């Protein structure tokens, strides 16, 4: 037990060191585009973490996660559009985003989470489609497919500030969600993933827990949407597109399902790859179609490395540690015998 | 009245295209318990390869044959390489077939170029008949006809032949069929190939109907096909025909009478069916 706690702290330290390195990054380098890229990684890292709560921790496949992302982006954008872009309305916008996401995820969850995995996946795909259609048709508020530009509070016009805010939010969510997944509630979620029927017969109300996790996940995703809007200062219907969900899916699977670092690693990989491989399209046109590469990696990952990067590393580490421990035990036994 | 009539013909034609896609999907699900999210990808591949052959040879029929052959080959490869490793694991199946869908639609852009492609019906299928004051567009009637022929032939195969018997028995209880000495894996592959070929045929027929084909239409039609499969009941062949017609008609009428709802009507339909009757309207089998 002692050993376990010590190791937890060790990994926490590693994460904190990385976070503080990222903290000083904007003061070390001035490349605007690279900073924007890293910011996108934070935002999609948050989004992918929220997706992993469903996919990796509870074993729910949702194809409609983009709807919460879009709800976040549109709530804040519309609040700023109708009012002055001040810090007060930022808070109002965030509250509205969180509230809406919570309500929608609650209602959707109550109605659909009792369905089997196939049906749930399809239904969420369709519901996200409905949101996309609604955003396109409700032109007076959403500006239709063209979207609209908005001004943000002064504070966020400075790239460094925005960068730091995104980083802080990501770090907070990372540790918060780690706490959440390590809590008794998180353990029940993992039990549902491993064996739903058994969890149910042990007396847990599975639907109840699934709804809770979908609300948490929806709220976190909506915050990612808010940050996304703040970073782009523009919103259009593409925030509801299936591609957004697919991105989260790729990030989670490649980075590592069932871990919280995994989605962030995945987000970094995909955003960087997207950035660089698109640049390479001058060299050869195949790089324009970088998604093929990722699709192939993704398929191979699902078949051969279902744990992704982070999961595989963790497993290796755990194995090594176990070996070391075994060796130690053998040695001490030898000593005793000697 | 003639307006209503032509809307109906429209809806039927769209319904038949969706049926071709959904029929394979529902059989694959019923028999193999695999929900193939990449089915729309096969639809696009059928469309592009068929139009390519059609352009090359100038023969529409050769184009159809080309699309079907593409569907069969792709179906065999996909079943063997992608689906086989993940039998029995639903979450992995969903994830992997979705990834496949991405790859298939991006590959379209690599092989056939990223632009939209235009396609026209051959001359003898262009134009329209006049019956009284009702205009019947030939190509739409042709699609409806093909849809019914495919439905008829497949139903006959399912009901009258030994292989059809095995497939129907497999949908009900595949372990039992296996115990009786049937190589169910082979049947799986065959059904997957036929399903893929039907999707490819649907894509090819779709091309002159809409005039243009593009890589993204796979996902759009894929979603419609899912809706149909859900409404019709997973694994029910005739259910998928009825549901496809229902969806096609609903879309055609709504597009005219309530345009704002036309995109949403089918999703609403599916939502209602899933919530109140998740087994679908025409469920078969005992699962």
């Amino acid at each position: 037990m002692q050993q376990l706690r010590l190791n937890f702290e060790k990994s926490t330290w590693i994460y904190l060191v990385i976070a503080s390195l990222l903290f000083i990054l904007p003061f070390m380098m001035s490349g605007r585009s690279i900073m924007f890229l890293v910011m996108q990684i934070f935002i999609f890292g948050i989004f992918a973490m929220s997706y992993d709560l469903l996919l990796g921790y509870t074993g729910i496949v949702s194809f409609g996660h983009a709807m919460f992302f879009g709800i976040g982006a549109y709530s804040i954008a519309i609040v700023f559009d109708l009012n002055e872009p001040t810090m007060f309305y930022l808070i109002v916008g965030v509250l509205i985003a969180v509230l809406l996401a919570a309500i929608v995820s609650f209602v959707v969850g109550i109605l659909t989470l009792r369905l089997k995995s196939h049906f749930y996946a399809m239904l969420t795909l369709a519901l996200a489609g409905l949101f996309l259609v609604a955003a396109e048709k409700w032109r007076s508020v959403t500006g239709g497919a063209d979207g609209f530009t908005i001004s943000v509070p002064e504070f966020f016009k400075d790239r460094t500030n925005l960068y730091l805010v995104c980083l802080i939010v990501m770090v907070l969510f990372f540790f918060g969600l780690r706490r959440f997944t390590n809590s008794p509630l998180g353990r029940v979620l993992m039990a549902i993933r491993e064996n739903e029927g058994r969890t149910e017969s042990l007396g847990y109300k599975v639907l109840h827990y699934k709804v809770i996790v979908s609300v948490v996940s929806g709220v976190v995703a909506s915050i990612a949407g808010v940050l996304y809007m703040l970073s782009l200062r523009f919103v259009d219907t593409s925030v509801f597109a299936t591609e957004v969900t697919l991105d989260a899916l790729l990030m989670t699977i490649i980075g590592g399902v069932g871990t919280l670092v995994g989605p962030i690693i995945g987000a970094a990989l995909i955003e960087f790859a997207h950035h660089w491989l698109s640049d390479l399209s001058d060299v050869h046109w195949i790089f324009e179609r970088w998604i093929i590469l990722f699709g192939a990696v993704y398929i191979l990952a699902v078949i051969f490395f279902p744990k992704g990067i982070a999961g595989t590393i963790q497993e290796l580490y755990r194995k090594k540690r176990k070996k070391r421990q075994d060796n130690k035990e053998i040695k001490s036994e030898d000593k005793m015998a000697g | 009245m003639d307006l209503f009539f032509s809307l109906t013909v429209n809806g039927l034609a769209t319904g038949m295209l969706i049926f071709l896609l959904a029929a394979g999907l529902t059989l694959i699900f019923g028999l193999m318990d695999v929900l193939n999210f990449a089915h729309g990808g096969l639809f696009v591949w059928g469309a592009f390869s068929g139009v390519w052959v059609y352009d090359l040879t100038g023969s529409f029929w050769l184009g159809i044959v080309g699309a079907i052959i593409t569907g069969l080959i792709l179906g065999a490869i996909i079943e063997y390489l992608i689906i086989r490793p993940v039998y029995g694991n639903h979450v992995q199946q969903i994830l992997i077939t979705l990834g496949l869908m991405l790859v298939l639609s991006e590959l379209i852009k690599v092989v056939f170029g990223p632009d939209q492609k235009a396609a026209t019906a051959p001359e003898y299928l262009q134009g329209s008949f006049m019956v009284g004051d009702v205009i019947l567009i030939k190509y739409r009637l042709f699609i409806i006809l093909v849809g019914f022929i495919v439905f008829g032939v497949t139903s006959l195969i399912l009901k009258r032949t030994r292989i059809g018997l095995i497939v129907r028995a497999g949908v009900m209880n595949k372990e039992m069929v296996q115990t009786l000495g049937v190589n169910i894996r082979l049947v799986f592959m065959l059904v997957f190939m036929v399903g893929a070929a039907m999707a490819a045929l649907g894509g090819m027929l779709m091309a002159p109907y809409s005039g243009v084909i593009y890589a993204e239409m796979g996902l759009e039609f894929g979603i419609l096909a899912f809706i149909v499969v859900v409404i019709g009941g997973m694994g029910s062949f005739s259910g998928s025909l009825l549901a496809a017609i229902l969806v096609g008609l609903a879309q055609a009428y709504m597009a005219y009478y309530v345009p704002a709802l036309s995109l949403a009507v089918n999703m609403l339909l599916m939502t209602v069916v899933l919530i109140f009757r998740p087994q679908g309207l025409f469920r078969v089998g005992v699962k």
Side-chain angles (χ1 to χ4, degrees):
Chain A
M1 194 63 220
Q2 191 65 29
Q3 187 100 29
L4 201 76
R5 190 175 297 149
L6 272 177
N7 270 306
F8 256 130
E9 283 176 3
K10 199 161 133 198
S11 62
T12 308
W13 283 117
I14 297 175
Y15 294 138
L16 281 178
V17 168
I18 295 174
S20 43
L21 280 180
L22 287 170
F23 243 108
I24 48 174
L25 186 73
F27 305 106
M28 307 285 281
M29 49 202 277
S30 53
R32 278 178 63 91
S33 70
I34 202 85
M35 227 166 82
F36 184 74
L37 185 67
V38 179
M39 211 151 69
Q40 294 296 310
I41 293 173
F42 296 156
I43 293 167
F44 277 96
I46 297 170
F47 184 57
M49 271 198 289
S50 77
Y51 191 72
D52 198 30
L53 281 185
L54 295 177
L55 179 67
Y57 284 95
T58 325
I60 304 172
V61 184
S62 159
F63 284 158
H65 211 50
M67 67 187 154
F68 304 115
F69 192 72
I71 285 174
Y74 266 108
S75 327
I76 188 89
I78 290 169
V79 166
F80 277 166
D81 196 40
L82 298 178
N83 305 289
E84 291 291 298
T86 58
M87 283 315 234
F88 173 71
Y89 283 110
L90 177 80
I91 296 168
V92 173
V94 170
L95 283 180
I96 290 179
V98 166
L99 208 66
L100 268 181
I103 293 171
V104 170
S105 57
F106 181 75
V107 172
V108 169
I110 286 278
L111 286 177
T112 62
L113 275 169
R114 68 187 87 220
L115 298 170
K116 276 199 203 149
S117 56
H118 294 128
F119 299 106
Y120 181 75
M122 271 191 288
L123 198 66
T124 46
L125 186 68
L127 281 173
L130 276 183
F131 271 91
L132 178 64
V133 171
E136 257 164 27
K137 296 285 167 196
W138 199 7
R139 295 191 71 91
S140 56
V141 178
T142 63
D146 304 329
F148 58 94
T149 321
I150 13 162
S151 53
V152 295
E154 280 301 316
F155 179 75
F156 289 106
K157 284 195 175 145
D158 183 43
R159 286 278 151 191
T160 315
N161 285 346
L162 189 55
Y163 174 95
L164 292 177
V165 167
C166 288
L167 178 60
I168 291 169
V169 173
M170 184 182 79
V171 170
L172 284 181
F173 270 134
F174 177 77
F175 286 110
L177 290 179
R178 205 170 74 154
R179 185 77 197 79
F180 176 75
T181 51
N182 281 327
S183 69
L185 186 109
R187 297 288 160 189
V188 177
L189 296 180
M190 282 182 237
I192 294 174
R193 174 189 69 194
E194 295 303 328
N195 192 335
E196 190 170 334
R198 180 143 186 221
T199 316
E200 182 124 47
S201 46
L202 283 174
Y204 293 101
K205 281 189 181 142
V206 169
L207 182 68
H208 192 82
Y209 286 94
K210 279 182 168 179
V211 171
I212 292 176
V213 74
S214 89
V215 170
V216 172
S217 164
V219 166
V220 176
S222 76
I223 299 286
V226 168
L227 291 174
Y228 182 74
M229 200 290 306
L230 286 177
S231 75
L232 283 189
R233 295 181 214 160
F234 170 76
V235 65
D236 68 358
T237 49
S238 69
V239 289
F240 279 122
T242 319
E243 281 76 20
V244 176
T245 310
L246 289 182
D247 275 347
L249 185 64
L250 286 180
M251 289 165 185
T252 313
I253 294 281
I254 291 179
V257 286
T259 63
L260 287 171
V261 227
I264 300 175
I265 296 175
L269 271 177
I270 289 196
E271 288 293 325
F272 268 116
H274 182 39
H275 185 74
W276 277 326
L277 293 181
S278 306
D279 278 356
L280 279 178
S281 62
D282 297 337
V283 185
H284 193 280
W285 55 267
I286 192 87
F287 289 112
E288 185 119 9
R289 307 262 81 89
W290 59 278
I291 198 94
I292 292 186
L293 187 74
F294 265 95
V297 171
Y298 163 89
I299 291 177
L300 292 177
V302 172
I303 298 182
F304 297 110
F305 302 100
K307 293 199 162 106
I309 296 173
T312 310
I313 292 177
Q314 265 183 4
E315 201 175 58
L316 285 177
Y317 180 71
R318 228 172 266 154
K319 261 188 201 153
K320 214 171 115 190
R321 211 176 67 208
K322 191 151 180 287
K323 221 176 175 181
R324 215 188 304 153
Q325 222 164 357
D326 287 352
N327 281 343
K328 232 184 245 168
E329 270 165 30
I330 291 169
K331 263 183 204 160
S332 59
E333 269 169 31
D334 282 354
K335 249 180 219 163
M336 266 193 261
Chain B
M1 194 58 212
D2 52 326
L3 173 74
F4 182 76
F5 201 79
S6 66
L7 282 180
T8 309
V9 171
N10 256 353
L12 277 177
T14 318
M16 282 305 171
L17 288 176
I18 303 170
F19 162 70
L20 286 174
L21 199 54
L25 205 60
T26 199
L27 280 181
I28 291 169
F29 182 83
L31 183 68
M32 299 154 69
D33 204 19
V34 170
L35 188 59
N36 182 15
F37 273 88
H39 219 62
L42 297 163
F43 182 79
V44 196
W45 267 90
F48 272 83
S49 60
V51 168
W52 182 73
V53 173
Y54 176 28
D55 283 347
L56 210 66
T57 60
S59 158
F60 184 67
W61 299 102
L62 275 181
I64 289 185
V65 172
I68 291 176
I69 291 174
T70 312
L72 288 173
I73 294 174
L74 275 180
I77 297 174
I78 290 171
E79 201 276 340
Y80 191 75
L81 286 183
I82 309 279
I83 310 283
R84 210 163 267 201
V86 291
Y87 273 127
N89 186 334
H90 282 163
V91 172
Q92 270 195 329
Q93 280 165 9
I94 297 174
L95 297 177
I96 206 165
T97 51
L98 193 81
L100 184 66
M101 173 78 207
L102 275 183
V103 173
L104 280 178
S105 35
E106 281 297 310
L107 269 180
I108 281 279
K109 296 180 191 164
V110 173
V111 176
F112 299 101
D115 305 322
Q116 296 192 339
K117 290 244 175 318
T120 47
E123 242 164 64
Y124 47 89
L125 287 175
Q126 283 172 3
S128 51
F129 300 116
M130 287 285 285
V131 180
D133 50 354
V134 178
I135 303 167
L136 293 172
I137 294 169
K138 275 189 201 166
Y139 192 74
R140 290 185 185 154
L141 294 178
F142 171 71
I143 289 180
I144 297 173
L145 188 70
V146 172
F148 275 117
I149 290 174
V150 169
F151 176 74
V153 170
T154 318
S155 304
L156 267 184
I157 292 176
L158 280 174
K159 290 209 176 102
R160 293 267 182 267
T161 64
R162 187 176 151 73
I163 183 79
L165 185 75
I166 293 173
V167 171
R168 277 187 299 140
V171 170
M172 294 248 206
N173 188 339
K174 52 178 161 293
E175 284 80 12
M176 186 59 101
V177 174
Q178 207 166 8
T179 321
L180 292 172
V182 175
N183 184 353
I184 198 97
R185 283 288 161 104
L186 202 69
V187 182
F188 279 6
M189 187 167 215
L190 197 74
V191 168
F192 198 90
M193 284 167 70
V194 172
M198 280 199 231
L201 171 67
M204 176 58 199
L205 292 178
M206 164 79 192
Y209 176 62
S210 76
V212 285
I213 48 177
Y214 46 94
E216 284 78 18
M217 71 182 193
L219 196 62
E220 288 168 31
F221 269 79
I223 293 176
L224 281 179
F226 284 135
I227 295 175
V228 164
V229 170
V230 169
I231 296 176
M234 296 258 185
S236 162
F237 187 67
S238 37
S240 72
L241 178 74
L242 293 173
I245 292 175
L246 183 70
V247 165
L249 289 178
Q251 201 167 11
Y253 294 141
M254 282 298 180
Y256 187 79
Y257 294 111
V258 201
L261 267 179
S262 72
L263 284 166
V265 61
N266 288 316
M267 300 197 178
L268 287 176
L269 210 60
M270 172 165 91
T271 313
V272 171
V273 169
L274 267 184
I275 289 166
F276 294 105
R277 204 178 148 80
Q279 70 272 40
L281 298 179
F282 314 92
R283 175 80 168 169
V284 292
V286 275
K287 269 185 222 150

